Amino acid sequence: MQLVCEARVPLTLYYHPLSSYSWKALIPLYEAGTPFTPRNIDDTQVAAERKRRWPIARFPVLVEETSGLTLPEASIIIEYLDSHYPGPQPMLPSDPDLRLEVRLLDRFFDNYVHASMQKIVGDRLRDPQRRDAQGVEEARAMLDTGYAWLDVRTADREWAVGGSVTLADCAAAPALFYADWVHPIGNAFPGVAAYRGRLLGRPSVKRAVDDARPFRALFPGGALDRD
Ligand SMILES: N[C@@H](CCC(=O)N[C@@H](CS)C(=O)NCC(=O)O)C(=O)O
């Protein structure tokens, strides 16, 4: 007789496979090999559950089912995972100066790269009469400024901060992946292009990218036939 012991997986992630911020939370889960139950918000019942747990209704949202702890915001999810379900390398280094740098880079990728990319993508979803040409132009200018700053920074380093993948790289991967689709990095910023390539070569990132392939047709304005 075979006894099957089913360990209860306490973590649930509300997410969507195509969603950039979902990737940010998925990457550290994959890096650490932490088991979790994925719940795709494409299902209206799952989306409603997520909204009940987090009325702001953005995703990802992580729930620790034993305690009922509900955590939105990808950076906060990563900080929680790092302390309660750590992987082989810390996502937030213990050295206070390195940690500060990681958090700064996380803010840089979210606030200036990711937000600018989302502005351009979001504009494509608007009624043509209500498009925000000035906002999109400003987002493109911000991406150029961000790419230029990052190009210098990535010239002599493998990852965003220190010698291993951190929270900053989890923020960078989805932000740069999609930013390049809507505002190409091109040949002007070889350091950024190479860093994006290194991120895409990471198995955790590759898995997020591959799992999203069946959903690419949903990308506003059409997905690019590359990556
Ligand atoms: N600050 C949030 C942003 C999350 C976010 O913008 N998620 C997008 C998906 S990538 C979303 O929820 N979009 C749905 C919406 O805007 O209604 C985080 O860091 O997790």
Side-chain angles (χ1 to χ4, degrees), residues 19-22 57-60 73-75 110 118:
S19 130
S20 47
Y21 272 107
S22 297
R58 294 282 176 103
F59 48 95
E73 297 297 312
S75 297
D110 273 18
Q118 279 186 320

Side-chain angles (χ1 to χ4, degrees), residues 159-181:
W159 304 115
V161 180
S164 62
V165 165
T166 63
L167 164 68
D169 301 292
C170 299
L176 288 175
F177 180 86
Y178 287 119
D180 184 49
W181 276 16

